[in-house]
Amino acid sequence: MNLLSRLIGRNPDSTQARREAVRPLWHRVVEIAREKPWYAEHGIADTVAGRFDTITLVMALVVLRMERSKDLIDPAARLTELFVTDMDGQLRQSGIGDLVVGKHMGKLVSALGGRIGALRDAFAQIEAAQVDAPLAAALERNMTLREGAEAAMLVTPVKALAAALETTSNEALLAARIDR
């Protein structure tokens, strides 16, 4: 560890190791987001925008689950770092140049944060009033749907994934064992 790291109390190797520890969970988030039923049955557009929306949807649900456990706060931050790193790489691969990649990344991270907030609010309203309308409205605002599809088609699978995450232990979640 170099002198600067010791002075500010950060060990970059430790941060990298913690990030790598959640990489399997990041891969599982992407795997779940790529499941065909999201697109074939539940109305999400099978486009770049629709796939990004699905990744952020699954990611948001996982982060919401993680934020309910004190032990998962740091891993949630590391998972978010992997999201940012992956999206940055995707932008660069698609030809976005260094001069504007930061602006695009800001928008993507903002989209993730917005979806986390929208889903947090929707699930709180569902809990309080036992109605699905707030979730359908949040999905309508935040998802790219196929023409003719309705956000209501997503409510049941989103609630099912949220319920599966809720019953997943911290250890299983960190090991990317999310039952589907």
Side-chain angles (χ1 to χ4, degrees), residues 133-157:
L135 180 57
L139 294 169
E140 181 73 36
R141 287 188 311 273
N142 289 287
M143 299 300 294
T144 303
L145 301 174
R146 305 190 295 268
E147 190 168 329
E150 295 181 17
M153 298 167 64
L154 275 169
V155 169
T156 299

PDB file of all heavy atoms in Angstrom, residues 133-157:
ATOM      1  N   ALA A 133     -51.363  -0.238  -8.731  1.00  0.00           N
ATOM      2  CA  ALA A 133     -51.342   0.913  -9.639  1.00  0.00           C
ATOM      3  C   ALA A 133     -50.054   1.733  -9.547  1.00  0.00           C
ATOM      4  O   ALA A 133     -49.521   2.148 -10.589  1.00  0.00           O
ATOM      5  CB  ALA A 133     -52.568   1.797  -9.415  1.00  0.00           C
ATOM      6  N   PRO A 134     -49.513   1.989  -8.352  1.00  0.00           N
ATOM      7  CA  PRO A 134     -48.268   2.770  -8.305  1.00  0.00           C
ATOM      8  C   PRO A 134     -47.098   2.066  -9.014  1.00  0.00           C
ATOM      9  O   PRO A 134     -46.283   2.729  -9.660  1.00  0.00           O
ATOM     10  CB  PRO A 134     -47.979   2.911  -6.808  1.00  0.00           C
ATOM     11  CG  PRO A 134     -49.299   2.726  -6.143  1.00  0.00           C
ATOM     12  CD  PRO A 134     -50.039   1.743  -7.010  1.00  0.00           C
ATOM     13  N   LEU A 135     -47.036   0.756  -8.923  1.00  0.00           N
ATOM     14  CA  LEU A 135     -45.970   0.021  -9.599  1.00  0.00           C
ATOM     15  C   LEU A 135     -46.175   0.079 -11.107  1.00  0.00           C
ATOM     16  O   LEU A 135     -45.222   0.324 -11.858  1.00  0.00           O
ATOM     17  CB  LEU A 135     -45.903  -1.426  -9.110  1.00  0.00           C
ATOM     18  CG  LEU A 135     -44.819  -2.294  -9.748  1.00  0.00           C
ATOM     19  CD1 LEU A 135     -43.424  -1.678  -9.567  1.00  0.00           C
ATOM     20  CD2 LEU A 135     -44.855  -3.710  -9.165  1.00  0.00           C
ATOM     21  N   ALA A 136     -47.406  -0.116 -11.551  1.00  0.00           N
ATOM     22  CA  ALA A 136     -47.686  -0.027 -12.991  1.00  0.00           C
ATOM     23  C   ALA A 136     -47.337   1.360 -13.518  1.00  0.00           C
ATOM     24  O   ALA A 136     -46.743   1.492 -14.595  1.00  0.00           O
ATOM     25  CB  ALA A 136     -49.152  -0.359 -13.266  1.00  0.00           C
ATOM     26  N   ALA A 137     -47.643   2.395 -12.759  1.00  0.00           N
ATOM     27  CA  ALA A 137     -47.325   3.759 -13.184  1.00  0.00           C
ATOM     28  C   ALA A 137     -45.817   3.979 -13.239  1.00  0.00           C
ATOM     29  O   ALA A 137     -45.307   4.597 -14.187  1.00  0.00           O
ATOM     30  CB  ALA A 137     -47.979   4.767 -12.240  1.00  0.00           C
ATOM     31  N   ALA A 138     -45.090   3.469 -12.249  1.00  0.00           N
ATOM     32  CA  ALA A 138     -43.622   3.607 -12.249  1.00  0.00           C
ATOM     33  C   ALA A 138     -43.019   2.871 -13.437  1.00  0.00           C
ATOM     34  O   ALA A 138     -42.086   3.374 -14.085  1.00  0.00           O
ATOM     35  CB  ALA A 138     -43.040   3.082 -10.939  1.00  0.00           C
ATOM     36  N   LEU A 139     -43.530   1.696 -13.744  1.00  0.00           N
ATOM     37  CA  LEU A 139     -43.028   0.925 -14.878  1.00  0.00           C
ATOM     38  C   LEU A 139     -43.371   1.613 -16.199  1.00  0.00           C
ATOM     39  O   LEU A 139     -42.555   1.625 -17.126  1.00  0.00           O
ATOM     40  CB  LEU A 139     -43.579  -0.504 -14.838  1.00  0.00           C
ATOM     41  CG  LEU A 139     -43.092  -1.345 -13.652  1.00  0.00           C
ATOM     42  CD1 LEU A 139     -43.893  -2.628 -13.534  1.00  0.00           C
ATOM     43  CD2 LEU A 139     -41.602  -1.628 -13.758  1.00  0.00           C
ATOM     44  N   GLU A 140     -44.542   2.204 -16.269  1.00  0.00           N
ATOM     45  CA  GLU A 140     -44.951   2.939 -17.473  1.00  0.00           C
ATOM     46  C   GLU A 140     -43.980   4.091 -17.754  1.00  0.00           C
ATOM     47  O   GLU A 140     -43.597   4.337 -18.893  1.00  0.00           O
ATOM     48  CB  GLU A 140     -46.373   3.487 -17.294  1.00  0.00           C
ATOM     49  CG  GLU A 140     -46.910   4.256 -18.486  1.00  0.00           C
ATOM     50  CD  GLU A 140     -47.282   3.359 -19.659  1.00  0.00           C
ATOM     51  OE1 GLU A 140     -47.768   2.240 -19.427  1.00  0.00           O
ATOM     52  OE2 GLU A 140     -47.065   3.788 -20.804  1.00  0.00           O
ATOM     53  N   ARG A 141     -43.571   4.790 -16.705  1.00  0.00           N
ATOM     54  CA  ARG A 141     -42.659   5.937 -16.856  1.00  0.00           C
ATOM     55  C   ARG A 141     -41.222   5.514 -17.142  1.00  0.00           C
ATOM     56  O   ARG A 141     -40.469   6.276 -17.740  1.00  0.00           O
ATOM     57  CB  ARG A 141     -42.645   6.783 -15.575  1.00  0.00           C
ATOM     58  CG  ARG A 141     -43.872   7.605 -15.320  1.00  0.00           C
ATOM     59  CD  ARG A 141     -43.674   8.561 -14.142  1.00  0.00           C
ATOM     60  NE  ARG A 141     -43.119   7.944 -12.943  1.00  0.00           N
ATOM     61  CZ  ARG A 141     -43.827   7.354 -11.989  1.00  0.00           C
ATOM     62  NH1 ARG A 141     -45.133   7.284 -12.094  1.00  0.00           N
ATOM     63  NH2 ARG A 141     -43.225   6.835 -10.923  1.00  0.00           N
ATOM     64  N   ASN A 142     -40.831   4.327 -16.702  1.00  0.00           N
ATOM     65  CA  ASN A 142     -39.412   3.966 -16.691  1.00  0.00           C
ATOM     66  C   ASN A 142     -39.007   2.835 -17.628  1.00  0.00           C
ATOM     67  O   ASN A 142     -37.823   2.488 -17.656  1.00  0.00           O
ATOM     68  CB  ASN A 142     -38.993   3.603 -15.266  1.00  0.00           C
ATOM     69  CG  ASN A 142     -38.941   4.821 -14.383  1.00  0.00           C
ATOM     70  OD1 ASN A 142     -38.043   5.637 -14.506  1.00  0.00           O
ATOM     71  ND2 ASN A 142     -39.926   4.966 -13.513  1.00  0.00           N
ATOM     72  N   MET A 143     -39.934   2.270 -18.348  1.00  0.00           N
ATOM     73  CA  MET A 143     -39.594   1.139 -19.204  1.00  0.00           C
ATOM     74  C   MET A 143     -39.952   1.438 -20.657  1.00  0.00           C
ATOM     75  O   MET A 143     -40.960   2.079 -20.933  1.00  0.00           O
ATOM     76  CB  MET A 143     -40.341  -0.126 -18.745  1.00  0.00           C
ATOM     77  CG  MET A 143     -40.012  -0.576 -17.322  1.00  0.00           C
ATOM     78  SD  MET A 143     -38.274  -0.963 -17.032  1.00  0.00           S
ATOM     79  CE  MET A 143     -38.073  -2.392 -18.079  1.00  0.00           C
ATOM     80  N   THR A 144     -39.117   0.945 -21.565  1.00  0.00           N
ATOM     81  CA  THR A 144     -39.404   1.052 -22.995  1.00  0.00           C
ATOM     82  C   THR A 144     -40.184  -0.197 -23.379  1.00  0.00           C
ATOM     83  O   THR A 144     -39.658  -1.315 -23.310  1.00  0.00           O
ATOM     84  CB  THR A 144     -38.097   1.133 -23.807  1.00  0.00           C
ATOM     85  OG1 THR A 144     -37.335   2.244 -23.338  1.00  0.00           O
ATOM     86  CG2 THR A 144     -38.382   1.292 -25.285  1.00  0.00           C
ATOM     87  N   LEU A 145     -41.442   0.009 -23.731  1.00  0.00           N
ATOM     88  CA  LEU A 145     -42.330  -1.108 -24.044  1.00  0.00           C
ATOM     89  C   LEU A 145     -42.522  -1.243 -25.553  1.00  0.00           C
ATOM     90  O   LEU A 145     -42.359  -0.276 -26.300  1.00  0.00           O
ATOM     91  CB  LEU A 145     -43.685  -0.902 -23.371  1.00  0.00           C
ATOM     92  CG  LEU A 145     -43.659  -0.765 -21.846  1.00  0.00           C
ATOM     93  CD1 LEU A 145     -45.046  -0.416 -21.319  1.00  0.00           C
ATOM     94  CD2 LEU A 145     -43.137  -2.025 -21.195  1.00  0.00           C
ATOM     95  N   ARG A 146     -42.872  -2.469 -25.975  1.00  0.00           N
ATOM     96  CA  ARG A 146     -43.227  -2.676 -27.380  1.00  0.00           C
ATOM     97  C   ARG A 146     -44.503  -1.903 -27.669  1.00  0.00           C
ATOM     98  O   ARG A 146     -45.306  -1.640 -26.771  1.00  0.00           O
ATOM     99  CB  ARG A 146     -43.568  -4.132 -27.691  1.00  0.00           C
ATOM    100  CG  ARG A 146     -42.650  -5.175 -27.391  1.00  0.00           C
ATOM    101  CD  ARG A 146     -43.104  -6.509 -28.023  1.00  0.00           C
ATOM    102  NE  ARG A 146     -44.337  -7.038 -27.502  1.00  0.00           N
ATOM    103  CZ  ARG A 146     -44.420  -7.898 -26.487  1.00  0.00           C
ATOM    104  NH1 ARG A 146     -43.340  -8.296 -25.865  1.00  0.00           N
ATOM    105  NH2 ARG A 146     -45.580  -8.350 -26.096  1.00  0.00           N
ATOM    106  N   GLU A 147     -44.696  -1.607 -28.920  1.00  0.00           N
ATOM    107  CA  GLU A 147     -45.932  -0.935 -29.313  1.00  0.00           C
ATOM    108  C   GLU A 147     -47.117  -1.819 -28.949  1.00  0.00           C
ATOM    109  O   GLU A 147     -47.124  -3.027 -29.222  1.00  0.00           O
ATOM    110  CB  GLU A 147     -45.928  -0.656 -30.818  1.00  0.00           C
ATOM    111  CG  GLU A 147     -47.063   0.257 -31.223  1.00  0.00           C
ATOM    112  CD  GLU A 147     -46.914   0.779 -32.623  1.00  0.00           C
ATOM    113  OE1 GLU A 147     -45.767   0.957 -33.075  1.00  0.00           O
ATOM    114  OE2 GLU A 147     -47.951   1.006 -33.249  1.00  0.00           O
ATOM    115  N   GLY A 148     -48.099  -1.239 -28.307  1.00  0.00           N
ATOM    116  CA  GLY A 148     -49.297  -1.962 -27.906  1.00  0.00           C
ATOM    117  C   GLY A 148     -49.192  -2.661 -26.556  1.00  0.00           C
ATOM    118  O   GLY A 148     -50.192  -3.141 -26.034  1.00  0.00           O
ATOM    119  N   ALA A 149     -48.014  -2.723 -25.979  1.00  0.00           N
ATOM    120  CA  ALA A 149     -47.844  -3.372 -24.669  1.00  0.00           C
ATOM    121  C   ALA A 149     -48.207  -2.388 -23.561  1.00  0.00           C
ATOM    122  O   ALA A 149     -48.094  -1.175 -23.727  1.00  0.00           O
ATOM    123  CB  ALA A 149     -46.409  -3.855 -24.490  1.00  0.00           C
ATOM    124  N   GLU A 150     -48.649  -2.936 -22.461  1.00  0.00           N
ATOM    125  CA  GLU A 150     -49.004  -2.114 -21.307  1.00  0.00           C
ATOM    126  C   GLU A 150     -48.100  -2.464 -20.139  1.00  0.00           C
ATOM    127  O   GLU A 150     -47.741  -3.622 -19.940  1.00  0.00           O
ATOM    128  CB  GLU A 150     -50.466  -2.362 -20.935  1.00  0.00           C
ATOM    129  CG  GLU A 150     -51.442  -1.916 -22.008  1.00  0.00           C
ATOM    130  CD  GLU A 150     -52.884  -2.158 -21.604  1.00  0.00           C
ATOM    131  OE1 GLU A 150     -53.147  -2.368 -20.402  1.00  0.00           O
ATOM    132  OE2 GLU A 150     -53.730  -2.138 -22.504  1.00  0.00           O
ATOM    133  N   ALA A 151     -47.779  -1.463 -19.353  1.00  0.00           N
ATOM    134  CA  ALA A 151     -46.904  -1.663 -18.197  1.00  0.00           C
ATOM    135  C   ALA A 151     -47.511  -2.647 -17.207  1.00  0.00           C
ATOM    136  O   ALA A 151     -46.776  -3.328 -16.488  1.00  0.00           O
ATOM    137  CB  ALA A 151     -46.612  -0.334 -17.518  1.00  0.00           C
ATOM    138  N   ALA A 152     -48.818  -2.765 -17.186  1.00  0.00           N
ATOM    139  CA  ALA A 152     -49.480  -3.695 -16.278  1.00  0.00           C
ATOM    140  C   ALA A 152     -49.012  -5.128 -16.518  1.00  0.00           C
ATOM    141  O   ALA A 152     -49.034  -5.951 -15.595  1.00  0.00           O
ATOM    142  CB  ALA A 152     -50.993  -3.597 -16.431  1.00  0.00           C
ATOM    143  N   MET A 153     -48.536  -5.419 -17.745  1.00  0.00           N
ATOM    144  CA  MET A 153     -48.030  -6.761 -18.053  1.00  0.00           C
ATOM    145  C   MET A 153     -46.764  -7.081 -17.255  1.00  0.00           C
ATOM    146  O   MET A 153     -46.418  -8.240 -17.085  1.00  0.00           O
ATOM    147  CB  MET A 153     -47.724  -6.878 -19.548  1.00  0.00           C
ATOM    148  CG  MET A 153     -48.922  -6.701 -20.451  1.00  0.00           C
ATOM    149  SD  MET A 153     -48.484  -6.470 -22.205  1.00  0.00           S
ATOM    150  CE  MET A 153     -47.733  -8.036 -22.597  1.00  0.00           C
ATOM    151  N   LEU A 154     -46.085  -6.055 -16.770  1.00  0.00           N
ATOM    152  CA  LEU A 154     -44.835  -6.229 -16.033  1.00  0.00           C
ATOM    153  C   LEU A 154     -45.020  -6.357 -14.527  1.00  0.00           C
ATOM    154  O   LEU A 154     -44.119  -6.794 -13.831  1.00  0.00           O
ATOM    155  CB  LEU A 154     -43.919  -5.027 -16.286  1.00  0.00           C
ATOM    156  CG  LEU A 154     -43.063  -5.072 -17.523  1.00  0.00           C
ATOM    157  CD1 LEU A 154     -42.423  -3.717 -17.765  1.00  0.00           C
ATOM    158  CD2 LEU A 154     -42.010  -6.128 -17.395  1.00  0.00           C
ATOM    159  N   VAL A 155     -46.176  -5.948 -14.034  1.00  0.00           N
ATOM    160  CA  VAL A 155     -46.379  -5.885 -12.582  1.00  0.00           C
ATOM    161  C   VAL A 155     -46.148  -7.242 -11.920  1.00  0.00           C
ATOM    162  O   VAL A 155     -45.387  -7.349 -10.950  1.00  0.00           O
ATOM    163  CB  VAL A 155     -47.768  -5.310 -12.236  1.00  0.00           C
ATOM    164  CG1 VAL A 155     -48.092  -5.487 -10.758  1.00  0.00           C
ATOM    165  CG2 VAL A 155     -47.835  -3.835 -12.622  1.00  0.00           C
ATOM    166  N   THR A 156     -46.772  -8.277 -12.415  1.00  0.00           N
ATOM    167  CA  THR A 156     -46.651  -9.593 -11.784  1.00  0.00           C
ATOM    168  C   THR A 156     -45.215 -10.122 -11.801  1.00  0.00           C
ATOM    169  O   THR A 156     -44.706 -10.538 -10.754  1.00  0.00           O
ATOM    170  CB  THR A 156     -47.632 -10.597 -12.427  1.00  0.00           C
ATOM    171  OG1 THR A 156     -48.971 -10.105 -12.211  1.00  0.00           O
ATOM    172  CG2 THR A 156     -47.490 -11.983 -11.834  1.00  0.00           C
ATOM    173  N   PRO A 157     -44.507 -10.111 -12.953  1.00  0.00           N
ATOM    174  CA  PRO A 157     -43.124 -10.610 -12.912  1.00  0.00           C
ATOM    175  C   PRO A 157     -42.185  -9.745 -12.063  1.00  0.00           C
ATOM    176  O   PRO A 157     -41.266 -10.275 -11.435  1.00  0.00           O
ATOM    177  CB  PRO A 157     -42.696 -10.647 -14.375  1.00  0.00           C
ATOM    178  CG  PRO A 157     -43.673  -9.812 -15.107  1.00  0.00           C
ATOM    179  CD  PRO A 157     -44.940  -9.827 -14.324  1.00  0.00           C
TER     180      PRO A 157
END
